[in-house]
Amino acid sequence: MDIQKKIVMSGIRPTGFLHLGNYFGAMKNYVQMQDDHECYFMVADWHSLTTHPDTKALKENVHRVLAENIACGLDPDKVALYCQSHVYETAELYLYLNMLAYKGELEKTTTFKDKVRLQPDNVNAGLLTYPVLQTADIILHRASYVPVGKDQEQHLEMARNFVQRFNHRYGEVFPEPVAFNFGGALVKVPSLDGTGKMSKSENQNATIYLADSDELIRKKVMKAQTDSGPTASGMPKPEYIENLFLLMKLVSAPDVVKQFESDYDQCTIRYGDMKKQLASDMALFIAPIREKAEAIRHDQRYLREVMEKGAEKARKSAQQTIAIVRESMGLNYF
Ligand code: TRP
């Protein structure tokens, strides 16, 4: 891989199904970055063990995430697409970083506190040190850019703290990683029920998954909340209507959106027609991804090749970093 290129790293946990929010928040960015950056994209299977100790569905989920990423346009020849558990060097770096992470700051992490609330009977140490493992994933490749959604900002801030401590104690080894989004602002992909955003596990009826059939997409979109329409020109849109327009801008042609905007302004908008249009454009958008992912998912030989090739690229970069880390930490006894 080209050393001049900026290094990019990101991960997706194999828990639940990928949806339009993942597509526009993460995968679309990955695809846009793959030509002029050195990219490492990983399936975070170890991270999933902190919340999903039952591994019955793990293999299938890992395969699905890989297949969906490739179906969205990620090219395993251009990027390193791999599984976290195939790159053992991650565990070594995680161990070193654990000595630089303090219990107090880990306990204060928002995602940790959320998960303690969600699974009070399984507050394991892996959950506590989740941000440490994530930092290891990133700096294992000495990556500078991390394409992630807004919910990961705190983890990135912690990663920068751990990097600063490491560099301060053992020498300037790592760049400080920053969250990155291609178009600048983070895109909002609202859920269909007018509140919040699309989600891997909650709100399934208001989330459009990349694996949803045309029929299911239509059903979910047609159920979205509307009202009897604006009664005066220039009326502001209620949030649930604004969200339909936001979604339409993501998947429909600009002149289609413009037509409905103007219908809204003139109070002639028919929300039934708008939802039918939105459903049909979403289905057109998702169908090719779904079909491609489905084909890849069942091609075990191809998936194995992808994982092997990805692990090889990732481990090459990881081993270089680990050699530098050991040297700078004084763990070189020969
Ligand atoms: N914590 C991330 C999430 O829940 C997933 C993840 C694991 C990740 N390792 C990473 C993201 C490294 C970016 C970089 O979405």
Side-chain angles (χ1 to χ4, degrees):
M1 284 193 179
D2 190 339
I3 333 173
Q4 316 300 320
K5 292 182 178 176
K6 289 276 184 212
I7 303 175
V8 174
M9 193 280 150
S10 194
I12 300 189
R13 272 179 309 150
T15 51
F17 287 68
L18 297 183
H19 50 74
L20 279 184
N22 297 124
Y23 179 84
F24 289 104
M27 280 129 92
K28 193 170 173 224
N29 277 300
Y30 296 0
V31 173
Q32 278 180 289
M33 294 179 108
Q34 66 184 345
D35 287 312
D36 37 18
H37 297 79
E38 180 177 325
C39 297
Y40 297 88
F41 297 125
M42 172 202 76
V43 182
D45 53 345
W46 279 342
H47 273 112
S48 75
L49 297 175
T50 62
T51 51
H52 294 63
D54 181 351
T55 54
K56 266 201 297 297
L58 190 56
K59 182 172 175 178
E60 195 187 316
N61 289 340
V62 167
H63 286 184
R64 180 193 304 279
V65 171
L66 287 169
E68 287 180 333
N69 272 283
I70 299 168
C72 287
L74 210 64
D75 182 346
D77 286 322
K78 290 185 186 162
V79 306
L81 179 61
Y82 62 99
C83 295
Q84 189 177 34
S85 61
H86 289 161
V87 182
Y88 325 126
E89 291 78 5
T90 309
E92 182 174 339
L93 189 52
Y94 171 52
L95 183 145
Y96 300 143
L97 291 174
N98 269 321
M99 319 306 178
L100 297 169
Y102 301 112
K103 177 172 167 277
E105 64 186 333
L106 295 170
E107 279 170 342
K108 267 190 263 165
T109 316
T110 311
T111 49
F112 176 70
K113 289 193 287 189
D114 288 346
K115 284 167 189 167
V116 169
R117 230 170 290 132
L118 283 170
Q119 53 182 66
D121 299 328
N122 183 19
V123 184
N124 59 77
L127 207 53
L128 184 67
T129 57
Y130 185 112
V132 184
L133 181 55
Q134 182 164 347
T135 303
D137 294 332
I138 298 166
I139 69 176
L140 190 58
H141 306 296
R142 283 165 285 159
S144 311
Y145 294 135
V146 187
V148 280
K150 224 179 160 39
D151 60 324
Q152 295 296 308
E153 265 170 6
Q154 191 180 28
H155 290 168
L156 263 288
E157 196 184 313
M158 295 173 82
R160 286 191 290 277
N161 286 335
F162 301 146
V163 161
Q164 281 167 12
R165 280 175 218 161
F166 185 98
N167 288 349
H168 182 71
R169 201 166 292 177
Y170 301 116
E172 288 292 321
V173 174
F174 299 110
E176 289 180 28
V178 292
F180 180 84
N181 190 278
F182 221 80
L186 298 179
V187 244
K188 181 181 172 194
V189 183
S191 68
L192 284 163
D193 57 6
T195 56
K197 49 190 192 114
M198 294 201 177
S199 158
K200 265 189 202 166
S201 46
E202 301 146 48
N203 245 352
Q204 303 205 353
N205 285 323
T207 296
I208 302 289
Y209 296 94
L210 299 180
D212 284 352
S213 68
D214 292 359
E215 181 53 22
L216 191 53
I217 293 172
R218 202 187 60 81
K219 270 197 194 137
K220 288 180 181 177
V221 173
M222 294 316 285
K223 266 198 267 168
Q225 182 188 355
T226 56
D227 52 34
S228 51
T231 49
S233 174
M235 250 172 81
K237 300 185 183 92
E239 194 183 359
Y240 50 89
I241 298 297
E242 183 62 47
N243 286 349
L244 290 182
F245 275 99
L246 279 175
L247 290 168
M248 195 168 227
K249 279 183 198 138
L250 295 174
V251 295
S252 301
D255 52 325
V256 169
V257 183
K258 231 161 104 192
Q259 183 60 52
F260 283 102
E261 290 278 12
S262 118
D263 291 349
Y264 184 88
D265 279 338
Q266 289 163 34
C267 307
T268 55
I269 191 159
R270 291 164 59 151
Y271 288 134
D273 291 348
M274 182 182 180
K275 289 199 280 188
K276 259 187 223 151
Q277 178 78 45
L278 179 60
S280 130
D281 289 338
M282 268 190 183
L284 282 175
F285 182 83
I286 290 199
I289 298 178
R290 178 186 65 230
E291 279 154 26
K292 198 166 171 209
E294 198 56 14
I296 295 170
R297 221 155 65 76
H298 293 107
D299 191 344
Q300 304 279 322
R301 226 181 72 185
Y302 172 70
L303 280 176
R304 189 194 169 114
E305 267 171 36
V306 166
M307 284 188 276
E308 281 174 350
K309 193 160 49 184
E312 197 183 316
K313 286 191 226 175
R315 294 196 65 203
K316 192 168 159 224
S317 147
Q319 281 162 0
Q320 287 170 359
T321 302
I322 289 292
I324 297 169
V325 166
R326 287 183 170 221
E327 182 71 33
S328 62
M329 291 181 75
L331 301 168
N332 50 340
Y333 311 131
F334 302 121

